[in-house]
Amino acid sequence: MIVMLWHNIDYVASVVLFSIGLYVVIAKENLIKKFLGLNIMETAVFAFIIALGMVEDGRPPIMTGDAQGPFASPLPQTLVLTGIVVAVSTTALALTLIIRIFRRFGTIEANELREME
Amino acid sequence: MYAWPHWLALVVMTPLAGAALTPIAALLDRRSPPWWALATMTFTSLAATMLVLRVFAEGPFSYLPGGWAAPYGVELRFDEFSAVVGVICLIGWMAILFSSRYTRSLPEFASDRSPYYYALLLLNLGGMIGFAVTGDLFNLFVFLEILSLSGYALVAVGGERIAEMAAFKYLLMGAVSSVLVLFAIGFLYGMTGTLNIADVTARLGALEGPTAPAAVALALLAVGFVTKAAIFPLHVWLPDAHAAAPSPVSAVLSGLVVKLGVIGMIRTYRIYYGAGLFDLTVLNHVLMWLGAISIVMGAFFAIFQEDVKLMLAYSTISNIGYIIMGLGLATTYGVIGASVHIFNHALIKATLFLAVGAIIYRTGYRTLSDLRGVGRAMPLTSVALSIGAISIVGIPPTAGFLCKWYITLGAFEANQPLFGFVLVFGALLIFVYYIRMVNAFYFREPIHAEVTEAREVPVSMLLPTLVLASLCLIMGVLGRIPLTFIEPGVVRLLAPLGG
């Protein structure tokens, strides 16, 4: 069991990161901290997908005349690139909303906001 | 004419390109954005009509953008469930027409912001259409994010007091569920090495070795999509978000966006029924129970709401409960009823939100006691509202009846009579709160001068409401057509691959 986990340490790390992120989202009251937790979750998933594309002794998959395999899989990296773009736009929107919440209520602590609603 | 293959690419690309061009249209003429958005959706509706006609005539078909063959390139696939794009186009068109007048009354809605409002609305519709027709898992995630992000922004756009808080709550839960879906897609990719849905299904079925990762992926997908569909207890983002959004946006969010979570669930089911890796009874039971609890809790919360829009929002939770329960029953009747309820509830809820939006636009009030007697002041809008109310309860000649009847039949077919009774009980609860509304609007004396002096809304707002209301009646009379239309899709969904 331990050996199996050790061999898949990259996957284990992303699951641990994911759980930390989820904990922060649920447990923290500050909206920015909540959102940082979400960013940690996203990063964990990106790391997981990147790790999936790892090939032992893989070379960059660039097709030249004398290119020889095995190649690393390029697909996960393109996926994560798209995923990062999505994450950045989510972050931008969330920060905009947080600024507007602060202007209206003067606080970004979830418990204080609940009292004001 | 419907055989032209490129309609499938156009139906996705038109609203997205239209969204990008809306601010430019606004630069040329400051008042053009609503008409530009309407023109875009008109063309999209044309493409959607062609696609629905084609799937009616030929069954499911695919389109390969760029001509790359399916497992390597991205595939767009149009099947019976994708026919939801027809409803998306219809309601999107009506909501845009409605917005052209309605948005002028919003606080904080200066005219220089209106191009962005229409751009967001078009992005949202394009994202939904893309989500419904894609045959590729990662593409599914991208469209899910397009429709969710534009949805979060649209909630905040109205400038209600709690709008930003509601939008943030929606964003937080929505983003977490999107991350869960992406995680699951990573799992499936890791196990099968492909992202094409049909290919994933086939390779998952042929998989040797432990099935635990596939089960984890299924759990992640289910939780992610159920959150998007706002099933109890993951519904907490929905009421505030749908009540705080401007009414045409509420119609789109409540009628369509939550349904895409259900479509995502159907896609997940397609993969796992097709692969036949393991028995799905546990998941089906969970969905049945969650659906039943949502029906009762949603209706129960709705009864105690004074705010009309909050009441409609809770009623959405209740109705999504019907759909998820029908899916969980996993019998032909149940799933047919659930799928048709996706279409019909979209029509009904859009009618209700547009009618309520029209009333709020004229009177400025939104609670039941303030709105007493509005039925006499605004007769046409109130008739539309009442038709919507009768339909959502499920009284026979209307659109709501047939699908609920089918889901009940499904419950008995699955030998789960308890859920049949829950369904009838839920319909009774829904009846109670809509009766409260109709009673307040027609039979109580008005307490505000604005309500008695209210006139009917202008044509651009009245027309969408009345058209959707009459569709609620027409779909009730012609209810057999969608039922027979969706049946082959449901049979294919429930069958294992090659079986």
Side-chain angles (χ1 to χ4, degrees):
Chain A
M1 182 70 189
I2 300 288
V3 177
M4 197 191 85
L5 286 181
W6 177 248
H7 279 292
N8 295 305
I9 188 75
D10 40 359
Y11 298 155
V12 175
S14 43
V15 170
V16 170
L17 259 183
F18 189 86
S19 316
I20 292 173
L22 190 59
Y23 169 77
V24 172
V25 171
I26 294 170
K28 294 291 173 187
E29 293 288 358
N30 187 303
L31 296 188
I32 290 188
K33 285 185 184 163
K34 267 184 192 291
F35 202 74
L36 284 180
L38 190 76
N39 276 339
I40 295 174
M41 284 171 83
E42 279 164 347
T43 311
V45 175
F46 297 154
F48 173 73
I49 296 178
I50 284 286
L52 285 176
M54 220 280 282
V55 173
E56 208 74 42
D57 297 323
R59 294 203 185 89
I62 301 167
M63 283 299 158
T64 51
D66 53 349
Q68 290 223 333
F71 297 112
S73 172
L75 188 59
Q77 300 175 18
T78 55
L79 301 186
V80 166
L81 205 56
T82 317
I84 289 172
V85 174
V86 169
V88 168
S89 23
T90 317
T91 309
L93 180 62
L95 293 178
T96 316
L97 289 175
I98 292 175
I99 290 172
R100 290 189 54 156
I101 290 171
F102 184 76
R103 282 199 190 137
R104 199 184 285 259
F105 295 103
T107 175
I108 51 168
E109 298 291 323
N111 45 357
E112 293 170 19
L113 284 166
R114 264 193 296 274
E115 284 163 22
M116 280 184 213
E117 255 181 37
Chain B
M1 185 163 181
Y2 60 73
W4 194 48
H6 300 296
W7 286 124
L8 189 44
L10 280 177
V11 81
V12 183
M13 285 317 296
T14 312
L16 296 181
L21 293 177
T22 309
I24 298 175
L27 279 183
L28 298 178
D29 178 2
R30 215 166 48 79
R31 292 174 54 182
S32 66
W35 313 115
W36 167 256
L38 264 189
T40 310
M41 280 323 283
T42 310
F43 185 74
T44 315
S45 309
L46 175 72
T49 317
M50 295 299 160
L51 291 169
V52 173
L53 283 177
R54 183 165 170 203
V55 80
F56 207 64
E58 304 177 2
F61 53 91
S62 297
Y63 178 80
L64 305 170
W68 297 91
Y72 306 106
V74 170
E75 182 194 16
L76 296 180
R77 185 154 182 80
F78 200 90
D79 61 9
E80 286 85 354
F81 297 106
S82 312
V84 75
V85 297
V87 186
I88 295 173
C89 289
L90 177 74
I91 293 176
W93 200 91
M94 297 296 174
I96 290 170
L97 182 61
F98 193 91
S99 303
S100 62
R101 267 307 268 276
Y102 185 85
T103 48
R104 290 189 214 162
S105 73
L106 290 177
E108 287 191 37
F109 207 96
S111 62
D112 62 321
R113 291 236 206 113
S114 91
Y116 303 109
Y117 170 80
Y118 291 102
L120 280 173
L121 207 50
L122 283 177
L123 261 185
N124 191 260
L125 296 168
M128 285 193 279
I129 293 171
F131 186 87
V133 304
T134 184
D136 182 276
L137 276 178
F138 196 74
N139 221 333
L140 194 79
F141 168 74
V142 172
F143 282 122
L144 183 68
E145 284 299 72
I146 292 178
L147 77 91
S148 309
L149 275 174
S150 49
Y152 313 144
L154 280 170
V155 168
V157 92
E160 291 269 345
R161 187 166 175 274
I162 59 158
E164 288 96 6
M165 267 312 285
F168 189 80
K169 215 191 292 176
Y170 183 16
L171 183 145
L172 210 58
M173 288 199 71
V176 169
S177 64
S178 297
V179 173
L180 291 176
V181 169
L182 183 63
F183 211 170
I185 292 173
F187 265 87
L188 289 176
Y189 174 73
M191 275 184 295
T192 60
T194 174
L195 287 166
N196 184 287
I197 293 182
D199 213 27
V200 166
T201 313
R203 293 203 198 176
L204 211 55
L207 196 72
E208 286 166 11
T211 54
V216 174
L218 176 61
L220 290 172
L221 282 172
V223 175
F225 285 132
V226 157
T227 312
K228 291 276 184 208
I231 284 296
F232 187 89
L234 299 169
H235 69 283
V236 287
W237 58 267
L238 185 139
D240 284 348
H242 287 192
S247 292
V249 172
S250 310
V252 170
L253 289 180
S254 220
L256 301 170
V257 171
V258 286
K259 304 297 166 40
L260 273 297
V262 181
I263 299 273
M265 225 28 236
I266 291 177
R267 298 280 180 248
T268 313
Y269 261 118
R270 173 75 279 235
I271 293 175
Y272 282 87
Y273 274 130
L277 265 189
F278 36 73
D279 202 9
L280 292 177
T281 322
V282 178
L283 177 66
N284 283 335
H285 273 273
V286 170
L287 285 190
M288 265 192 299
W289 278 105
L290 286 183
I293 296 171
S294 294
I295 293 173
V296 176
M297 296 307 278
F300 200 67
F301 282 124
I303 288 179
F304 294 104
Q305 298 307 320
E306 266 293 302
D307 185 318
V308 187
K309 285 185 77 174
L310 262 181
M311 199 169 103
L312 293 182
Y314 276 109
S315 141
T316 298
I317 297 173
S318 181
N319 277 280
I320 297 290
Y322 282 106
I323 298 173
I324 287 291
M325 191 173 97
L327 270 184
L329 289 168
T331 55
T332 323
Y333 277 123
V335 181
I336 290 178
S339 323
V340 176
H341 202 50
I342 295 177
F343 293 67
N344 287 352
H345 178 254
L347 287 178
I348 300 169
K349 198 40 73 66
T351 313
L352 287 168
F353 265 119
L354 291 189
V356 165
I359 291 173
I360 294 174
Y361 175 79
R362 269 298 185 231
T363 62
Y365 293 109
R366 50 191 291 170
T367 59
L368 280 181
S369 49
D370 285 333
L371 284 172
R372 279 177 193 167
V374 78
R376 275 162 284 174
M378 300 173 70
L380 288 174
T381 312
S382 302
V383 165
L385 191 72
S386 313
I387 293 176
I390 306 171
S391 308
I392 210 156
V393 178
I395 292 170
T398 56
F401 169 68
L402 265 178
C403 18
K404 290 191 181 176
W405 176 245
Y406 262 64
I407 299 173
T408 321
L409 284 182
F412 286 102
E413 194 187 359
N415 213 3
Q416 303 278 4
L418 172 67
F419 291 100
F421 292 122
V422 168
L423 202 146
V424 176
F425 181 62
L428 281 178
L429 284 179
I430 295 175
F431 189 64
V432 170
Y433 60 78
Y434 280 105
I435 276 294
R436 260 188 85 211
M437 189 167 83
V438 171
N439 177 42
F441 285 3
Y442 279 106
F443 302 109
R444 303 291 289 274
E445 286 309 312
I447 54 175
H448 292 289
E450 290 94 328
V451 172
T452 36
E453 286 162 10
R455 288 167 294 128
E456 270 306 340
V457 282
V459 179
S460 66
M461 293 167 79
L462 195 57
L463 183 79
T465 320
L466 290 180
V467 168
L468 286 172
S470 43
L471 275 174
C472 289
L473 286 177
I474 294 170
M475 288 313 279
V477 180
L478 302 179
R480 281 205 68 80
I481 297 175
L483 290 171
T484 43
F485 172 77
I486 204 79
E487 196 176 343
V490 171
V491 170
R492 218 173 318 110
L493 173 73
L494 295 175
L497 216 62

